[in-house]
C-alpha cells in the first residue's frame, strides 16, 4: 500500500507573525519532535527508532555533527534530530504510481516542503530524453546507462561527483576512489558551501583544517566560550546541553551575532526539572549585535586592545608562533572609525568583551556559517586564530578553535578524500595501495561545477545524497545548468528539488537510510562517521528497509564501478560491497590516524583522530609554527536605500530539508516567505510592518529577484536583513564568493526592497 503526505500545497496562505521567543527547547521542543515521529512513523516504529539515536549500539543521527558525550543520555537527540529520524523512518512512500501521477513539470512547481513530505523513494527511476514523467528501471539497466555515459566521455573531467555530508566514511572513501580510478578529481561536496572557509583558514594558520577542541573542553574546562555567527538553538540544538553544563560549572558565554537567537538567551533543558518547571538556564552573559560582515573588524579591534594592554602570552608566542610583529604593526594602523562603521558597535562594547577575555584563562571560539559565507570569511577566521594565539589558547584544556560543522559526516567525507584538491600525500597513498595512476590536477568545487555545467563542459553529474539544486547559489543559473547536462544521477532517500530539475536524462537511485538494516553478502554491516570534533564511531541501523529495492550507498558505488571497470581497475569492488571490514582495512592503510581501525571502532564511543596542535602544540605548517596573519580590514558599505541580506534557516528545517512551516523561535507560523528587517530601516525605506515586498539583489551582471515576501519588523542589526534559504538562494550571485575558499557569500548580499506587484 502506498502512503503519502497530504496533497495540500498552499504553503504561504496565511503567514502569522508573533513575538520572538526568548528561550529554546523546553517541553514544546519535546512535543514537536515527538509529534513529527508519531505522524510519520507511528508509535511503535517511532519509539523503536528514537531509543537508538546517537547510542553506542545504535545509529548516528542523520542531522547535525555535534558529538555524543561519553555516556549518552537515554534520549540523546533534539527536536530537529527527532524530525530527521521521522522523515527517514516514515511510512510514506514515493513509488512508481506516484511518478506516474505527477509529471516532472508538476513536481518543479511544488514547494520544497511539499516535495520533502511525500516520503521515501522505493525503486530506481529514469526520466529519459523527452519524457514528461519518471518511470521505473531495473538496477542493472540503470548502471548500464551510467556506465555507458561515463565511458563515452571525451575526458574523465567531463564528469562531476558531488557528495552530501550524510555519506558514511566507507561510502565516501569508495566514491572518491571510483572518481579517481575513472581519472578525475571533480569531487565537489557540501563543505564547499559551508565550512570550506574554516578549513582554508585553519590549514594556513595552524596546519590542520579542523577544530582543535573536544566536547569536554567545552563542558569541563573552558572559562570563556565565544559563539560567533551561529544559532545553536536551531542548527545544533544538542550543543545547548553542553553550554548549559559549562555555564553551571561557572564558564562565561559571549554571543556575537546580527540576530538575537533564543537558543543563546535561555535554555530550558527538557531532561532537567529546571527546564520543565523552572526558568531554565540563562546562557549568554554578553550579547554583541555585530553588523553583517563586521566580525573581521571586531576581532582586529580586540587583538589591538589586548596587545596595547600587554595582555598576551609572550612565552607561547615566542616558542610556538611566527609573524607576530607584522600582525602587531598592522593592528597599530587600525582606524577606530572604520571599526565602528564595520561592526556597528560602540567602542565600549568591544572593551566589555576584552574585559571578559582578560578574566579568562582558557577561551574557546565557536563559529558556523554566519562567519564562513562572507567574501572576507577566510581573513575573518584567520583573525580569530590570531585572537586565540595571542593568549596561548590552542593546545591546552578548555581552549581552541571550534568550527561547528552542520551535517553529520561532512567532516568525515573530507577526511576520506572527498576533496577536489586533495593533498599529494593522500594521492600518493592511494596509488601505492591500489596500483593505478591517480590524477593530480585539481578538480571542480561546487561553484566551479555549476560554471562547468552552465558552459556545457559536463557530460555526467552524479550526486551521492544531498539536494544540489536547493543547496546551491543563484538558483535560476543552477537549475538551467543542471537541466543542460546529458545525464544527471541522484542517489537519494527522499524526493527533493534536484529530482524536479533533471538533466536531459536523469536517474534516481534510492538508497538505505541511517536508520535501516544493511545486510550484504557478508552479513549485516555497520558504517562509521566522524563528528565535528574528530571522533570516529560506528552507526548501525535497525529498521527494515523502506523497500526491498533499496541498496546501500556502498553497494551502489561498487555495483556501478564493477559495470564501468569490470576487473580492469585492480580494485576488489565486489569484495568491498560484500563486507565493509575490507573497506575499512584499506582506509587504515591510506588515511592517517585510522590504523587498527576495526579494533578502535569496536570500542564504545569509537576513537579520536590525531590533531597535532591540540595534542602537542605541534603545528604542521611550512614553518613548523602557528602563523599570525595580517588581514586587510573590510568595511562593507552599501548604497543608500539598500540592506545587507543574510540567508538563514528556520527552526523547522535542517539544511535544505523543510520539516514544517513554523519558526517558533522567531515568531513565524504557517509560512516561509518573510524577510526580517530592523524597525528603523523599515520606516526609513518607506515600508510598514507586514508589507508585501520583492527582494532584489544587485550584482555586476544585473538584478536578481525573489518575489512576494512579507516584511517583518524584527530586532536585527541596523542596516541588515535576514530571510530563509533555499527561497532566497536565487539572490546569491554565482560569482559572489569568499576569497580563497570560493564559498558562496550568502551572508552578505546587497538587496533593495520593492513593493510586490
Amino acid at each position: 500500500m502506498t502512503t503519502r503526505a497530504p496533497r495540500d500545497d498552499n504553503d504561504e496562505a496565511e503567514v502569522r507573525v508573533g513575538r520572538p521567543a526568548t528561550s529554546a527547547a523546553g517541553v514544546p521542543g519535546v512535543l514537536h519532535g515527538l509529534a513529527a515521529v508519531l505522524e510519520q512513523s507511528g508509535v511503535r516504529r517511532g519509539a523503536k527508532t528514537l531509543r537508538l539515536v546517537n547510542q553506542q549500539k545504535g545509529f548516528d543521527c542523520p542531522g547535525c555533527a555535534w558529538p555524543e558525550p561519553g555516556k549518552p543520555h537515554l534520549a540523546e537527540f533534539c527536536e530537529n534530530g527527532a524530525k530527521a529520524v521521522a522523515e527517514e523512518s516514515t511510512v510514506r512512500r514515493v513509488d512508481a504510481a506516484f511518478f506516474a501521477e505527477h509529471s516532472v513539470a508538476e513536481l518543479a512547481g511544488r514547494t520544497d516542503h511539499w516535495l520533502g513530505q511525500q516520503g521515501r523513494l522505493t525503486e530506481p527511476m529514469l526520466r529519459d530524453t523527452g519524457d514528461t514523467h519518471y518511470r521505473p528501471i531495473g538496477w542493472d539497466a540503470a548502471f548500464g546507462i551510467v556506465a555507458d555515459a561515463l565511458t563515452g566521455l571525451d575526458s574523465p573531467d567531463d564528469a562531476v561527483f558531488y557528495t552530501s555530508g550524510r555519506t558514511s566514511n566507507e561510502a565516501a572513501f569508495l566514491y572518491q576512489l571510483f572518481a579517481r580510478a575513472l581519472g578525475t578529481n571533480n569531487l565537489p561536496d557540501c563543505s564547499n558551501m559551508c565550512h570550506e572557509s574554516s578549513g582554508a583558514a585553519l590549514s594556513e594558520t595552524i596546519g590542520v583544517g579542523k577544530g582543535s577542541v573536544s566536547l569536554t573542553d567545552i563542558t569541563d574546562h573552558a572559562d570563556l566560550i565565544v559563539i560567533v555567527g551561529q544559532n545553536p538553538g536551531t542548527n545544533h540544538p544538542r550543543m545547548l546541553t553542553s553550554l548549559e553544563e559549562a555555564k553551571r560549572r561557572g564558564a562565561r558565554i559571549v554571543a556575537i551575532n546580527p540576530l538575537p537567537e533564543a537558543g543563546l538567551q535561555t535554555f530550558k533543558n527538557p531532561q532537567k526539572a529546571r527546564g520543565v518547571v523552572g526558568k531554565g538556564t540563562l546562557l549568554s552573559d554578553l550579547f554583541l549585535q555585530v553588523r553583517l560582515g563586521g566580525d573581521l573588524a571586531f576581532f582586529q579591534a580586540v587583538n589591538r586592545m589586548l596587545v596595547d594592554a600587554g595582555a598576551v602570552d609572550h612565552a607561547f608566542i615566542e616558542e610556538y608562533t611566527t609573524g607576530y610583529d607584522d600582525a602587531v604593526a598592522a593592528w597599530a594602523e587600525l582606524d577606530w572609525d572604520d571599526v565602528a562603521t564595520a561592526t556597528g558597535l560602540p567602542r565600549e562594547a568591544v572593551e566589555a568583551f576584552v574585559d571578559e577575555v582578560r578574566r579568562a584563562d582558557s577561551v574557546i571560539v565557536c563559529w558556523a556559517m554566519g562567519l564562513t559565507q562572507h567574501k572576507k570569511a577566510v581573513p575573518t577566521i584567520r583573525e580569530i586564530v590570531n585572537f586565540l594565539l595571542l593568549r596561548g589558547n590552542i593546545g591546552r584544556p578548555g581552549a581552541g578553535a571550534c568550527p561547528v560543522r552542520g551535517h553529520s559526516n561532512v567532516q568525515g567525507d573530507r577526511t576520506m578524500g572527498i576533496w577536489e584538491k586533495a593533498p599529494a600525500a593522500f594521492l600518493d597513498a592511494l596509488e601505492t595501495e591500489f596500483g593505478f595512476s591517480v590524477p593530480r590536477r585539481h578538480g571542480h568545487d561546487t561553484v566551479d561545477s555549476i560554471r562547468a555545467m552552465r558552459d556545457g563542459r559536463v557530460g555526467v553529474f552524479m550526486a551521492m545524497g544531498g539536494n544540489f539544486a536547493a543547496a546551491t547559489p543563484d538558483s535560476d543559473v543552477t537549475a538551467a545548468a543542471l537541466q543542460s547536462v546529458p545525464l544527471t544521477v541522484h542517489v537519494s532517500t527522499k524526493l527533493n528539488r534536484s529530482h524536479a530539475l533533471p538533466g536531459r536524462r536523469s536517474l534516481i537511485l534510492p538508497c538505505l537510510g541511517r536508520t535501516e538494516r544493511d545486510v550484504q553478502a557478508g552479513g549485516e554491516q555497520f558504517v562509521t562517521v566522524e563528528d565535528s570534533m574528530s571522533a570516529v564511531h560506528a552507526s548501525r541501523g535497525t529498521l527494515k528497509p523502506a523497500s526491498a529495492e533499496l541498496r546501500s550507498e556502498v553497494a551502489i558505488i561498487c555495483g556501478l564501478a564493477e559495470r564501468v571497470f569490470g576487473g580492469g581497475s585492480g580494485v576488489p569492488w565486489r569484495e568491498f560491497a560484500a563486507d565493509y571490514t575490507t573497506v575499512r582495512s584499506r582506509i587504515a592503510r591510506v588515511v592517517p590516524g585510522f590504523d587498527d581501525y576495526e579494533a578502535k571502532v569496536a570500542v564504545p564511543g569509537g576513537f579520536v583522530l590525531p590533531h597535532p596542535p591540540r595534542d602537542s602544540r605541534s603545528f604542521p605548517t611550512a614553518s613548523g609554527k602557528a602563523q599570525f596573519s595580517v588581514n586587510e580590514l573590510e568595511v562593507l558599505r552599501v548604497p543608500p536605500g539598500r540592506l545587507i541580506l543574510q540567508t538563514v534557516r528556520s527552526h523547522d528545517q535542517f539544511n535544505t530539508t523543510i520539516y514544517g512551516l513554523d519558526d517558533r523561535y522567531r515568531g513565524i507560523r504557517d509560512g516561509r516567505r518573510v524577510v526580517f528587517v530592523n524597525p528603523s530601516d523599515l520606516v526609513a525605506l518607506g515600508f510598514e510592518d507586514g508589507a508585501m515586498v520583492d527582494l532584489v539583489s544587485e550584482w555586476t551582471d544585473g538584478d536578481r529577484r525573489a518575489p512576494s515576501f512579507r516584511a517583518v519588523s524584527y530586532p536585527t542589526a541596523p542596516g541588515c536583513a535576514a530571510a530563509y534559504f533555499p527561497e532566497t538562494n536565487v539572490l546569491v550571485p554565482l560569482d559572489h564568493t569568499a576569497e580563497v575558499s570560493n564559498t558562496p557569500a550568502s551572508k552578505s548580499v546587497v538587496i533593495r526592497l520593492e513593493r510586490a506587484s
Side-chain angles (χ1 to χ4, degrees), residues 250-540:
R252 303 274 291 177
I253 296 176
V254 174
I256 304 172
N257 206 49
L259 289 167
E261 300 290 10
L264 285 173
Q265 296 179 53
T266 300
F267 174 45
K268 294 185 175 181
N269 189 337
Q271 297 177 356
K272 305 288 185 180
R274 61 180 172 268
V276 176
V277 296
K279 295 182 179 179
T281 301
L282 181 68
L283 292 182
S284 293
D285 297 286
L286 178 65
F287 170 52
L288 300 176
Q289 191 168 35
V290 69
R291 182 174 178 261
L292 279 165
D295 304 281
L296 172 57
F298 174 81
F299 279 99
Q300 288 176 322
V302 168
N303 292 340
R304 161 75 179 273
M305 289 180 177
L306 290 173
V307 170
D308 288 349
V312 300
D313 186 340
H314 288 290
F316 173 87
I317 292 169
E318 178 67 25
E319 183 173 359
Y320 295 108
T321 75
T322 185
Y324 174 71
D325 290 341
D326 289 341
V328 170
W331 294 326
E333 300 298 320
L334 202 60
D335 185 288
W336 291 106
D337 289 337
D338 284 345
V339 170
T341 301
T343 63
L345 297 171
R347 182 164 177 162
E348 294 75 22
V350 185
E351 291 171 341
F353 176 75
V354 170
D355 289 341
E356 293 280 355
V357 174
R358 295 186 65 181
R359 288 195 296 266
D361 289 331
S362 297
V363 180
I364 290 173
V365 182
C366 304
W367 70 87
M369 290 158 67
L371 284 194
T372 64
Q373 293 184 327
H374 288 279
K375 184 176 178 59
K376 295 288 185 179
V378 173
T380 298
I381 297 165
R382 289 196 299 241
E383 198 66 40
I384 287 175
V385 174
N386 287 342
F387 166 73
L388 293 170
L389 294 177
L390 278 176
R391 290 173 61 82
N393 278 310
I394 287 183
R396 55 186 172 84
C402 183
V404 184
R405 311 278 175 170
H407 221 157
S408 59
N409 197 42
V410 63
Q411 185 159 299
D413 287 354
R414 179 56 57 85
T415 302
M416 291 297 109
I418 300 292
W419 195 5
E420 74 282 355
K421 48 186 178 184
F426 178 86
L427 301 179
D428 290 342
L430 277 183
E431 279 194 354
T432 300
E433 182 63 29
F434 293 102
F436 64 81
S437 180
V438 175
R440 300 300 171 127
R441 59 194 173 277
H442 288 174
H444 298 319
D445 63 12
T446 296
V447 168
D448 284 338
S449 293
I450 298 170
R451 291 169 177 153
M453 288 188 280
R454 176 199 63 191
D455 298 341
R457 295 184 283 115
V458 174
V460 177
F461 172 85
M462 183 171 178
M464 183 62 58
N467 182 1
F468 190 85
T472 44
D474 224 340
S475 305
D476 293 343
V477 172
T478 298
L482 279 170
Q483 291 172 307
S484 71
V485 176
L487 176 66
T488 54
V489 184
H490 297 280
V491 179
S492 307
T493 57
K494 294 171 53 205
L495 191 67
N496 66 46
R497 174 67 50 197
S498 297
H499 307 138
L501 298 169
R504 297 203 288 271
R505 299 180 90 189
S506 185
L507 285 163
I508 301 173
L509 305 180
C511 67
L512 294 173
R514 288 267 180 87
T515 58
E516 293 167 318
R517 292 181 66 212
D518 183 354
V519 180
Q520 303 297 331
E524 189 163 345
Q525 307 296 316
F526 69 88
V527 296
T528 60
V529 296
E530 179 185 346
D531 66 30
S532 193
M533 295 181 182
S534 301
V536 178
H537 59 274
S539 177
R540 299 172 176 85

Side-chain angles (χ1 to χ4, degrees), residues 215-279:
L215 187 58
T216 55
D217 284 323
I218 290 176
T219 57
D220 298 354
H221 301 294
D223 298 313
L224 175 64
I225 301 169
V226 186
I227 301 174
V228 195
Q230 187 191 358
N231 176 15
T234 286
N235 299 338
H236 314 93
R238 287 190 302 125
M239 182 177 177
L240 297 182
T241 302
S242 303
L243 294 177
E244 181 186 45
E245 289 183 44
K247 189 65 187 291
R248 299 188 75 82
R249 173 181 52 77
R252 303 274 291 177
I253 296 176
V254 174
I256 304 172
N257 206 49
L259 289 167
E261 300 290 10
L264 285 173
Q265 296 179 53
T266 300
F267 174 45
K268 294 185 175 181
N269 189 337
Q271 297 177 356
K272 305 288 185 180
R274 61 180 172 268
V276 176
V277 296
K279 295 182 179 179

Side-chain angles (χ1 to χ4, degrees), residues 532-599:
S532 193
M533 295 181 182
S534 301
V536 178
H537 59 274
S539 177
R540 299 172 176 85
T542 58
L543 292 181
K544 180 182 178 181
S547 164
E549 286 289 305
L550 301 186
R551 295 193 181 185
S552 72
E553 291 178 323
V554 168
I556 291 171
I557 296 163
C558 291
L560 178 58
E562 273 205 288
R563 190 63 178 265
V564 170
F565 301 119
S569 70
V571 180
W573 299 105
R574 186 169 299 182
E575 178 184 330
F576 288 160
D579 184 355
Y580 299 175
T581 64
T582 63
V583 184
R584 288 189 286 274
S585 70
R586 300 302 190 99
I587 293 172
R589 293 201 288 265
V590 171
V591 186
F594 284 83
D595 50 294
D596 297 323
Y597 194 176
E598 206 67 32

